[in-house]
Every structure is written in structure tokens, then in C-alpha cells.
Amino acid sequence: MRKPIIAGNWKMNKTLAEAQSFAEAVKNAVPSKDVVDSVIGSPALFLAPLAWSLKDSDVQLSAQNCYWENTGAFTGENSPAAIADLGIQYVIIGHSERREYFHETDEDINKKAKAIFANNMTPIFCCGESLETYEAGKTAEWIEGQITNGLVGLSNEQVSSMVIAYEPIWAIGTGKSADANIADEICGVVRATVEKLYGKEVSEAVRIQYGGSVKPENIAEYMAKENVDGALVGGASLEADSFLALLDAVK
């Protein structure tokens, strides 16, 4: 059995006071991490104070991005070594907003994945297709390409331990969502691609999330599916009550 993982991606939201208030509200209320991984994807500005606030809780933290070098003349970037030094467990990479707005490539994301593993953290590796690609019936081909190119050079052990998040771009922040059957089908494509690249044992170990307008009212439908091991959640993760309701639905 793969342990469920629910990760809230706050994107560019909250002040420090709001982030700390959220942490106080959830830190003693989430289920045990033996049952489900509860993850907050915070803006980089808040990672240090949140790491301190949550150090004795079952809430885990994720950066929303990092660079692929530990040090250097890269003004404005965040070092994976510095993130790891805070005790952060996860880093989100390859999110469609990073790919689209900041022109990140599969090669960039692959280098970030390697840097994250080198610093003993776990990538949450995002993949997903546009509405145009979906309507053209080319989703499987697109996803397979992103996975194949993004995982180049990673070991079986690394891929087994990582998290892959399928997020159809047309369902992010739109109120639309791929229904549970579609989500399971494409998460199955992700798993089949991993199996083709790394074998059945690795494909059965890797955890795959669905993301795209997930909320407490519909998360159980997704979690009931064979290939869906969790959710990467945007808007519904911004309020403590909603985040806790997501976790309660899967524990």
C-alpha cells in the first residue's frame, strides 16, 4: 500500500502572519504521518519561520521551487542546499505555471530533481497537458514525454521515493476538473511510463497525485481510484478548515 500524500500549494498567497496563523491552526490537528503525509507548499519567504513553528508536528513543508545549483551568482534564486538546511522535506518542480510563465524546460526540471535528491529532499514532480492537447487526444503522448525527459539519469531508488503530480493545465484554478475516471486513467499513464523506464517494482512504489480543482467535496472520488495516491491542491488548501477537511477525507 502506498501512503496517501495531500500537499497544499499556496502559490503566491498569504502574509507571514497569515501563514503562521494557518500553521497554528493545523499543527496539532492533522492525522498522524504514519497514516497520511500532510504537506504545505509555502512561498520561500515563509519556510524558515514555518519550519520552526511546525518542527514538532506531523505537518511537513515543501518549497514551491528551487535552483539546480547549491551556490553561485544566481540572484533571486533559492538554493536547494539552503532549503534542505531548514529541514524542508519536499520541493515542487515542473508546475505548469513555472513551465508556462517562466519558460522552464524538461531539462531544467530534470536538473532540479537531481539537485533536490542530492540534498536529501523529495521532488514533487508536476506534469500536465493543455486543453488543446487534451482535446486533440494527445494527452498520453504529452505526459509520457514529460516523464521520460524529466527523469533522465535518476536511479530506481530515487524514482521509487519521489512524488509525481498529474495536473491538467485546463483544470488548475478554473473550477473545471478531470473527473475521477479521467484522473485515474492519466495517472495510470504516468505509472505505465515509469514501469516502461524503471520496471514494475518502481512503478508500484512511486506515489502519484492528482491536482486540479480538488476540494473536500470531491477528493474522496479521486482517492478511491487505483492509481491516485493523493492530491496537489491549490485554492482549497489556503484555509485551515478546508485543508483539514481534505486530510480527514483520506485518513
Side-chain angles (χ1 to χ4, degrees):
M1 292 291 292
R2 296 178 294 268
K3 183 168 59 168
I5 176 169
I6 304 300
N9 178 13
W10 286 353
K11 305 189 180 184
M12 197 178 71
N13 289 292
K14 296 191 181 296
T15 63
L16 176 57
E18 290 168 343
Q20 290 178 315
S21 176
F22 184 103
E24 287 300 313
V26 305
K27 68 179 185 179
N28 295 318
V30 299
S32 167
K33 62 184 176 184
D34 293 332
V35 177
V36 55
D37 283 327
S38 310
V39 181
I40 295 172
S42 167
L45 283 169
F46 311 146
L47 287 173
L50 287 179
W52 178 258
S53 298
L54 296 168
K55 66 177 182 176
D56 295 322
S57 84
D58 283 330
V59 181
Q60 301 172 79
L61 285 172
S62 175
Q64 294 180 11
N65 186 39
C66 71
Y67 198 58
W68 55 76
E69 297 286 352
N70 286 339
T71 60
F74 306 108
T75 301
E77 292 291 340
N78 291 302
S79 157
I83 293 170
D85 190 53
L86 296 175
I88 308 303
Q89 294 90 354
Y90 296 91
V91 183
I92 299 169
I93 53 172
H95 193 281
S96 63
E97 292 159 3
R98 297 294 313 176
R99 293 177 188 262
E100 180 179 1
Y101 304 147
F102 303 101
H103 312 294
E104 291 189 0
T105 66
D106 289 339
E107 181 182 8
D108 294 337
I109 295 155
N110 177 251
K111 289 191 286 188
K112 291 182 181 188
K114 291 173 180 174
I116 291 163
F117 277 123
N119 284 284
N120 299 309
M121 297 182 292
T122 300
I124 298 177
F125 177 106
C126 299
C127 60
E129 84 284 19
S130 67
L131 182 60
E132 180 181 18
T133 299
Y134 175 73
E135 291 181 339
K138 296 181 178 179
T139 292
E141 177 184 346
W142 181 265
I143 296 300
E144 183 172 349
Q146 287 186 320
I147 297 297
T148 301
N149 295 329
L151 303 188
V152 169
L154 297 183
S155 69
N156 284 31
E157 182 180 6
Q158 287 172 331
V159 176
S160 293
S161 68
M162 73 189 301
V163 179
I164 300 176
Y166 166 59
E167 290 199 305
I169 298 169
W170 48 270
I172 299 173
T174 64
K176 299 178 181 180
S177 57
D179 67 31
N181 290 326
I182 294 173
D184 186 51
E185 177 187 353
I186 307 306
C187 288
V189 170
V190 173
R191 202 172 299 285
T193 303
V194 172
E195 181 175 354
K196 183 163 68 172
L197 295 170
Y198 290 93
K200 191 170 183 63
E201 184 176 351
V202 174
S203 74
E204 289 180 345
V206 67
R207 292 188 291 177
I208 303 173
Q209 298 175 305
Y210 169 72
S213 298
V214 176
K215 44 198 163 189
E217 294 79 13
N218 64 18
I219 190 170
E221 300 170 27
Y222 295 103
M223 294 301 299
K225 295 300 181 179
E226 179 182 359
N227 288 300
V228 179
D229 304 312
L232 183 59
V233 185
S237 73
L238 291 174
E239 299 297 330
D241 288 348
S242 179
F243 183 66
L244 292 172
L246 289 164
L247 292 164
D248 285 340
V250 302
K251 69 180 182 180

Short mmCIF file of all heavy atoms in Angstrom, two decimals, residues 64-98:
data_model
loop_
_atom_site.label_atom_id
_atom_site.label_comp_id
_atom_site.label_asym_id
_atom_site.label_seq_id
_atom_site.Cartn_x
_atom_site.Cartn_y
_atom_site.Cartn_z
N GLN A 64 8.24 25.68 -3.11
CA GLN A 64 7.50 25.68 -4.38
C GLN A 64 8.42 25.63 -5.59
O GLN A 64 7.95 25.48 -6.72
CB GLN A 64 6.62 26.93 -4.46
CG GLN A 64 5.51 26.97 -3.43
CD GLN A 64 4.66 28.21 -3.56
OE1 GLN A 64 4.76 28.97 -4.53
NE2 GLN A 64 3.82 28.44 -2.57
N ASN A 65 9.71 25.73 -5.35
CA ASN A 65 10.66 25.75 -6.45
C ASN A 65 12.06 25.80 -5.84
O ASN A 65 12.22 26.07 -4.65
CB ASN A 65 10.43 26.98 -7.35
CG ASN A 65 11.31 26.96 -8.59
OD1 ASN A 65 11.53 25.92 -9.20
ND2 ASN A 65 11.81 28.12 -8.97
N CYS A 66 13.08 25.54 -6.63
CA CYS A 66 14.46 25.77 -6.24
C CYS A 66 15.30 25.87 -7.49
O CYS A 66 14.83 25.60 -8.60
CB CYS A 66 14.99 24.66 -5.33
SG CYS A 66 15.27 23.08 -6.17
N TYR A 67 16.56 26.27 -7.32
CA TYR A 67 17.50 26.25 -8.45
C TYR A 67 18.23 24.91 -8.44
O TYR A 67 18.06 24.11 -7.51
CB TYR A 67 18.49 27.42 -8.32
CG TYR A 67 19.20 27.73 -9.62
CD1 TYR A 67 18.49 28.06 -10.77
CD2 TYR A 67 20.59 27.69 -9.69
CE1 TYR A 67 19.14 28.33 -11.96
CE2 TYR A 67 21.25 27.97 -10.89
CZ TYR A 67 20.52 28.29 -12.02
OH TYR A 67 21.17 28.55 -13.19
N TRP A 68 19.03 24.65 -9.46
CA TRP A 68 19.72 23.36 -9.52
C TRP A 68 21.17 23.43 -9.06
O TRP A 68 21.86 22.42 -9.03
CB TRP A 68 19.66 22.76 -10.93
CG TRP A 68 20.18 23.64 -12.03
CD1 TRP A 68 21.47 23.91 -12.34
CD2 TRP A 68 19.39 24.36 -12.98
NE1 TRP A 68 21.55 24.75 -13.41
CE2 TRP A 68 20.28 25.04 -13.84
CE3 TRP A 68 18.02 24.49 -13.21
CZ2 TRP A 68 19.85 25.86 -14.90
CZ3 TRP A 68 17.59 25.29 -14.25
CH2 TRP A 68 18.49 25.96 -15.08
N GLU A 69 21.64 24.62 -8.68
CA GLU A 69 22.97 24.76 -8.09
C GLU A 69 22.80 25.13 -6.62
O GLU A 69 21.88 25.84 -6.24
CB GLU A 69 23.77 25.84 -8.81
CG GLU A 69 24.06 25.56 -10.27
CD GLU A 69 25.11 24.50 -10.49
OE1 GLU A 69 25.74 24.07 -9.49
OE2 GLU A 69 25.33 24.09 -11.64
N ASN A 70 23.75 24.68 -5.80
CA ASN A 70 23.69 24.97 -4.36
C ASN A 70 24.14 26.39 -4.02
O ASN A 70 23.66 26.99 -3.06
CB ASN A 70 24.53 23.97 -3.58
CG ASN A 70 23.88 22.61 -3.50
OD1 ASN A 70 22.69 22.47 -3.66
ND2 ASN A 70 24.70 21.59 -3.24
N THR A 71 25.11 26.89 -4.79
CA THR A 71 25.64 28.23 -4.55
C THR A 71 25.97 28.87 -5.89
O THR A 71 26.05 28.19 -6.92
CB THR A 71 26.93 28.20 -3.70
OG1 THR A 71 27.93 27.45 -4.40
CG2 THR A 71 26.69 27.58 -2.34
N GLY A 72 26.19 30.19 -5.85
CA GLY A 72 26.63 30.85 -7.07
C GLY A 72 25.97 32.19 -7.29
O GLY A 72 25.16 32.67 -6.48
N ALA A 73 26.32 32.81 -8.41
CA ALA A 73 25.82 34.14 -8.77
C ALA A 73 24.49 34.01 -9.50
O ALA A 73 24.42 34.20 -10.73
CB ALA A 73 26.85 34.87 -9.62
N PHE A 74 23.45 33.65 -8.74
CA PHE A 74 22.12 33.42 -9.33
C PHE A 74 21.09 34.25 -8.55
O PHE A 74 20.27 33.72 -7.80
CB PHE A 74 21.76 31.93 -9.29
CG PHE A 74 22.81 31.06 -9.94
CD1 PHE A 74 23.63 30.24 -9.17
CD2 PHE A 74 23.00 31.08 -11.31
CE1 PHE A 74 24.60 29.45 -9.76
CE2 PHE A 74 23.97 30.29 -11.91
CZ PHE A 74 24.77 29.48 -11.14
N THR A 75 21.19 35.55 -8.72
CA THR A 75 20.38 36.49 -7.95
C THR A 75 18.90 36.15 -8.03
O THR A 75 18.36 35.96 -9.12
CB THR A 75 20.61 37.93 -8.46
OG1 THR A 75 22.00 38.25 -8.33
CG2 THR A 75 19.77 38.92 -7.67
N GLY A 76 18.29 36.07 -6.85
CA GLY A 76 16.85 35.84 -6.79
C GLY A 76 16.44 34.38 -6.73
O GLY A 76 15.28 34.08 -6.47
N GLU A 77 17.38 33.46 -6.97
CA GLU A 77 17.06 32.04 -6.91
C GLU A 77 17.21 31.51 -5.48
O GLU A 77 17.85 32.13 -4.64
CB GLU A 77 17.96 31.25 -7.86
CG GLU A 77 17.71 31.53 -9.33
CD GLU A 77 16.37 31.01 -9.81
OE1 GLU A 77 15.80 30.11 -9.15
OE2 GLU A 77 15.87 31.49 -10.85
N ASN A 78 16.65 30.32 -5.25
CA ASN A 78 16.72 29.69 -3.93
C ASN A 78 17.54 28.41 -4.00
O ASN A 78 17.25 27.53 -4.81
CB ASN A 78 15.32 29.39 -3.41
CG ASN A 78 14.56 30.66 -3.08
OD1 ASN A 78 14.99 31.46 -2.27
ND2 ASN A 78 13.41 30.86 -3.72
N SER A 79 18.56 28.34 -3.17
CA SER A 79 19.47 27.20 -3.15
C SER A 79 18.81 25.97 -2.55
O SER A 79 18.25 26.05 -1.45
CB SER A 79 20.71 27.56 -2.32
OG SER A 79 21.36 26.41 -1.83
N PRO A 80 18.88 24.81 -3.22
CA PRO A 80 18.34 23.59 -2.61
C PRO A 80 19.07 23.22 -1.32
O PRO A 80 18.46 22.67 -0.40
CB PRO A 80 18.53 22.53 -3.70
CG PRO A 80 19.59 23.07 -4.61
CD PRO A 80 19.44 24.56 -4.56
N ALA A 81 20.35 23.53 -1.24
CA ALA A 81 21.09 23.23 0.00
C ALA A 81 20.57 24.08 1.16
O ALA A 81 20.44 23.59 2.29
CB ALA A 81 22.58 23.48 -0.22
N ALA A 82 20.28 25.34 0.88
CA ALA A 82 19.76 26.23 1.93
C ALA A 82 18.35 25.81 2.35
O ALA A 82 18.00 25.87 3.54
CB ALA A 82 19.76 27.68 1.44
N ILE A 83 17.55 25.39 1.38
CA ILE A 83 16.20 24.90 1.69
C ILE A 83 16.29 23.65 2.57
O ILE A 83 15.60 23.53 3.59
CB ILE A 83 15.42 24.61 0.40
CG1 ILE A 83 15.15 25.91 -0.36
CG2 ILE A 83 14.11 23.89 0.70
CD1 ILE A 83 14.61 25.72 -1.76
N ALA A 84 17.17 22.73 2.18
CA ALA A 84 17.33 21.49 2.96
C ALA A 84 17.82 21.78 4.37
O ALA A 84 17.44 21.10 5.33
CB ALA A 84 18.30 20.55 2.24
N ASP A 85 18.65 22.81 4.52
CA ASP A 85 19.20 23.16 5.83
C ASP A 85 18.11 23.59 6.81
O ASP A 85 18.31 23.52 8.02
CB ASP A 85 20.23 24.29 5.66
CG ASP A 85 21.02 24.55 6.92
OD1 ASP A 85 21.59 23.59 7.47
OD2 ASP A 85 21.05 25.70 7.38
N LEU A 86 16.97 24.01 6.28
CA LEU A 86 15.84 24.38 7.14
C LEU A 86 15.04 23.16 7.62
O LEU A 86 14.12 23.30 8.41
CB LEU A 86 14.89 25.32 6.38
CG LEU A 86 15.44 26.69 5.97
CD1 LEU A 86 14.42 27.43 5.11
CD2 LEU A 86 15.82 27.50 7.19
N GLY A 87 15.38 21.99 7.08
CA GLY A 87 14.64 20.79 7.42
C GLY A 87 13.42 20.56 6.55
O GLY A 87 12.52 19.79 6.91
N ILE A 88 13.39 21.20 5.38
CA ILE A 88 12.26 21.04 4.46
C ILE A 88 12.34 19.67 3.81
O ILE A 88 13.41 19.20 3.43
CB ILE A 88 12.29 22.15 3.38
CG1 ILE A 88 12.40 23.53 4.03
CG2 ILE A 88 11.08 22.05 2.47
CD1 ILE A 88 11.32 23.87 5.01
N GLN A 89 11.17 19.03 3.65
CA GLN A 89 11.15 17.66 3.14
C GLN A 89 10.94 17.56 1.62
O GLN A 89 11.42 16.62 0.99
CB GLN A 89 10.03 16.86 3.83
CG GLN A 89 10.26 16.64 5.31
CD GLN A 89 9.66 17.74 6.18
OE1 GLN A 89 9.17 18.75 5.70
NE2 GLN A 89 9.71 17.54 7.49
N TYR A 90 10.18 18.49 1.04
CA TYR A 90 9.78 18.38 -0.36
C TYR A 90 10.06 19.67 -1.12
O TYR A 90 10.14 20.75 -0.53
CB TYR A 90 8.27 18.11 -0.47
CG TYR A 90 7.82 16.79 0.12
CD1 TYR A 90 7.41 16.70 1.45
CD2 TYR A 90 7.77 15.63 -0.65
CE1 TYR A 90 6.98 15.51 2.00
CE2 TYR A 90 7.34 14.43 -0.11
CZ TYR A 90 6.94 14.37 1.21
OH TYR A 90 6.52 13.18 1.76
N VAL A 91 10.17 19.54 -2.45
CA VAL A 91 10.22 20.71 -3.33
C VAL A 91 9.35 20.41 -4.56
O VAL A 91 9.50 19.36 -5.20
CB VAL A 91 11.65 21.03 -3.81
CG1 VAL A 91 11.65 22.30 -4.67
CG2 VAL A 91 12.61 21.19 -2.64
N ILE A 92 8.44 21.32 -4.84
CA ILE A 92 7.60 21.20 -6.04
C ILE A 92 8.40 21.70 -7.24
O ILE A 92 8.97 22.79 -7.21
CB ILE A 92 6.32 22.05 -5.90
CG1 ILE A 92 5.48 21.57 -4.71
CG2 ILE A 92 5.50 22.00 -7.19
CD1 ILE A 92 4.35 22.51 -4.33
N ILE A 93 8.44 20.90 -8.30
CA ILE A 93 9.12 21.32 -9.53
C ILE A 93 8.25 20.98 -10.74
O ILE A 93 7.44 20.05 -10.70
CB ILE A 93 10.50 20.66 -9.68
CG1 ILE A 93 10.42 19.13 -9.56
CG2 ILE A 93 11.49 21.24 -8.69
CD1 ILE A 93 11.73 18.42 -9.89
N GLY A 94 8.42 21.75 -11.80
CA GLY A 94 7.73 21.46 -13.05
C GLY A 94 6.28 21.86 -13.07
O GLY A 94 5.54 21.46 -13.98
N HIS A 95 5.84 22.68 -12.11
CA HIS A 95 4.44 23.11 -12.12
C HIS A 95 4.16 23.84 -13.43
O HIS A 95 5.01 24.55 -13.96
CB HIS A 95 4.17 24.02 -10.92
CG HIS A 95 2.71 24.25 -10.67
ND1 HIS A 95 1.97 25.15 -11.41
CD2 HIS A 95 1.85 23.69 -9.79
CE1 HIS A 95 0.72 25.15 -10.98
NE2 HIS A 95 0.62 24.26 -10.00
N SER A 96 2.96 23.68 -13.94
CA SER A 96 2.61 24.26 -15.25
C SER A 96 2.80 25.77 -15.27
O SER A 96 3.15 26.35 -16.31
CB SER A 96 1.18 23.91 -15.63
OG SER A 96 0.26 24.45 -14.70
N GLU A 97 2.59 26.43 -14.12
CA GLU A 97 2.79 27.87 -14.07
C GLU A 97 4.27 28.22 -14.23
O GLU A 97 4.62 29.24 -14.85
CB GLU A 97 2.23 28.43 -12.77
CG GLU A 97 0.71 28.34 -12.72
CD GLU A 97 0.13 28.38 -11.32
OE1 GLU A 97 0.90 28.55 -10.34
OE2 GLU A 97 -1.09 28.24 -11.21
N ARG A 98 5.15 27.40 -13.67
CA ARG A 98 6.58 27.61 -13.86
C ARG A 98 6.97 27.32 -15.31
O ARG A 98 7.78 28.05 -15.90
CB ARG A 98 7.39 26.68 -12.94
CG ARG A 98 7.21 26.89 -11.45
CD ARG A 98 7.73 28.20 -10.94
NE ARG A 98 9.06 28.52 -11.42
CZ ARG A 98 9.67 29.69 -11.16
NH1 ARG A 98 9.07 30.61 -10.44
NH2 ARG A 98 10.88 29.92 -11.63
#
